[in-house]
């Protein structure tokens, strides 16, 4: 009798662990979406999944990063020796290459999720700035023909939040690129990241082609992120502020596209009336296209022994 109850308890525990894993794998903790385009609703929960949720669902449901055929042999690389020493120090028993490759795809998606998160925060902050501007104009209306020649500007805590979120968005976009490929160490010719770890052939070529487009698209944002990381706020020049246009709309300006490293905010030009939210949405669209292409490549190269892909629960 005691043995029977013990077996039942063990089976119940295993079932609970399985369903907990499935809940985590499916990205059950949706936190909302970004961008203004209607997103599909998860029929099971009624929540609107984020891009991050949908991407990770594809990875888990398809076991996309599981199959050894898609990964290169890294045992002869300098980084392998470093990983082997770390594994030995930690008493790890699994193959060293498992540790080297186990999170490459999910960490790329995490960085892309960072872009999404900061874009959402940027939108919320700028909406609050707009409300503040509307209230200010209601209290002190100015006719368009009487608009000051130097313009009108607004600076409040929400505009500061927007400035921080914009800088963070640029940094996460840069992280996406560097998690695909970067030098092993400063000055090293060895490359690490998702792309160098992929096996030669179709999957590598597909990701490489998508990455080439991404790198070209992110050139400008890297100049801006370098400046934000090392020199000052974008667009700079003191307290973050937005311009109030004569029609009442706010414009949180982004500089014209820089073509080289920026030493000072004085080098920025503002002739194209670019704004933070539009710029952020464009950057998010670029990142989203790239991540979907990477996942498409993994799905297309899922080995025959893995069987067909499961029916998707939610797809972009």
């Amino acid at each position: 009798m005691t043995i029977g109850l013990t077996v039942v308890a063990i089976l119940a525990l295993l079932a609970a662990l399985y369903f907990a894993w499935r809940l985590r794998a499916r990205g059950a903790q949706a936190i909302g979406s970004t961008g203004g385009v209607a997103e599909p609703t998860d029929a099971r929960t009624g929540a609107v999944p984020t891009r991050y949720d949908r991407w990770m669902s594809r990875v888990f449901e398809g076991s996309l990063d599981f199959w050894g055929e898609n990964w290169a042999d890294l045992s002869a690389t300098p980084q392998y020796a470093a990983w082997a020493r770390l594994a030995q120090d930690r008493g790890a028993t699994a193959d060293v290459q498992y540790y080297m490759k186990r999170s490459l795809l999910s960490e790329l998606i995490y960085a892309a999720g960072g872009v999404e998160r900061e874009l959402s925060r940027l939108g919320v902050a700028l909406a609050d700035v707009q409300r503040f501007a509307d209230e200010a104009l209601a209290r002190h209306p100015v006719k368009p023909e009487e608009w000051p020649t130097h313009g009108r500007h607004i600076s409040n805590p929400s505009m500061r939040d927007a400035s921080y979120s914009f800088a963070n968005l640029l940094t996460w976009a840069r992280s996406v690129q560097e998690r695909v490929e970067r030098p092993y160490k400063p000055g090293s010719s060895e490359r690490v990241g998702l792309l160098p770890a992929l096996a030669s052939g179709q999957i590598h070529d597909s990701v490489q082609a998508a990455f080439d487009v991404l790198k070209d698209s992110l050139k400008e944002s890297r100049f801006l992120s370098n400046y934000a990381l090392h020199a000052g706020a974008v667009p700079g020049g003191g307290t973050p502020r937005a311009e109030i246009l004569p029609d009442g709309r706010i414009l949180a300006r982004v500089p014209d596209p820089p073509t080289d490293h920026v030493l000072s905010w004085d080098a920025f030009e503002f002739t194209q009336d670019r704004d933070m939210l539009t710029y952020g949405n464009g950057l998010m669209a670029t990142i989203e296209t790239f991540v979907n292409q990477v996942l498409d490549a993994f799905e297309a190269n899922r080995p025959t022994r893995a069987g067909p892909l499961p029916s998707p629960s939610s797809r972009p």
Side-chain angles (χ1 to χ4, degrees):
M1 181 70 172
T2 302
I3 294 175
L5 291 174
T6 301
V7 171
V8 170
I10 292 173
L11 291 175
L13 176 60
L14 291 174
L17 290 173
Y18 171 78
F19 285 113
W21 175 82
R22 290 300 295 172
L23 186 63
R24 176 177 177 269
R26 290 175 179 271
Q29 195 171 3
I31 58 172
S33 61
T34 307
V37 177
E39 299 286 356
T41 299
D42 190 324
R44 297 160 301 176
T45 65
V48 178
T50 62
R51 295 173 179 86
Y52 175 85
D53 291 325
R54 300 200 305 274
W55 291 328
M56 290 305 296
S57 289
R58 292 179 68 177
V59 173
F60 279 112
E61 292 173 357
S63 300
L64 299 187
D65 55 353
F66 178 78
W67 313 105
E69 295 93 322
N70 288 334
W71 299 103
D73 181 2
L74 303 177
S75 60
T77 63
Q79 61 164 321
Y80 180 89
W83 278 94
R85 289 192 299 271
L86 177 62
Q88 183 177 11
D89 292 344
R90 297 295 177 88
T93 57
D95 178 63
V96 172
Q97 295 202 55
Y98 162 76
Y99 296 107
M100 296 173 71
K101 304 166 185 174
R102 61 179 173 173
S103 62
L104 291 174
L105 182 57
S106 59
E107 290 292 0
L108 166 64
I109 293 173
Y110 182 84
V115 178
E116 179 180 28
R117 178 178 184 270
E118 295 304 327
L119 179 60
S120 176
R121 291 190 164 199
L122 177 65
V124 170
L126 289 177
D128 190 67
V129 176
Q130 182 66 68
R131 285 192 294 270
F132 194 86
D134 293 342
E135 293 171 1
L137 288 174
R139 290 193 302 267
H140 306 287
V142 179
K143 296 178 181 179
E145 61 270 19
E146 298 174 353
W147 207 258
T149 55
H150 60 276
R152 298 187 67 177
H153 297 84
I154 185 171
S155 177
N156 67 342
S158 291
M159 188 60 226
R160 186 171 64 247
D161 291 341
S163 177
Y164 280 123
S165 291
F166 186 71
N168 291 339
L169 182 147
L170 294 172
T171 301
W172 279 118
R174 173 176 174 166
S175 296
V176 170
Q177 179 175 338
E178 296 189 356
R179 291 183 187 188
V180 179
E181 185 181 57
R182 65 187 183 279
Y184 169 48
K185 293 180 178 180
S188 171
S189 60
E190 182 183 2
R191 311 298 288 180
V192 296
L194 177 69
L195 185 58
L198 292 176
S200 299
Q202 184 178 354
I203 189 169
H204 184 280
D205 294 345
S206 296
V207 174
Q208 180 72 70
F211 186 52
D212 289 342
V213 174
L214 178 73
K215 285 191 297 183
D216 187 63
S217 299
L218 294 184
K219 281 182 180 178
E220 176 199 345
S221 71
R222 283 187 69 89
F223 288 135
L224 293 176
S225 68
N226 284 339
Y227 179 79
L229 283 169
H230 302 297
V234 177
T239 303
R241 62 180 186 171
E243 183 177 349
I244 304 177
L245 302 178
D247 63 5
R249 292 179 296 115
I250 64 164
L251 177 60
R253 290 188 179 274
V254 174
D256 297 349
T259 57
D260 201 349
H261 292 283
V262 181
L263 299 177
S264 167
W265 64 271
D266 296 287
F268 288 137
E269 298 288 341
F270 299 90
T271 64
Q272 299 181 17
D273 291 341
R274 304 199 304 170
D275 72 277
M276 288 183 178
L277 192 56
T278 301
Y279 185 91
N281 277 312
L283 201 59
M284 182 73 254
T286 297
I287 299 293
E288 182 173 18
T289 296
F290 171 72
V291 175
N292 284 332
Q293 289 172 336
V294 170
L295 296 181
D296 289 345
F298 271 84
E299 289 177 345
N301 286 273
R302 201 166 179 268
T304 304
R305 66 187 178 91
L309 277 167
S311 298
S313 60
S314 62
R315 287 291 173 87

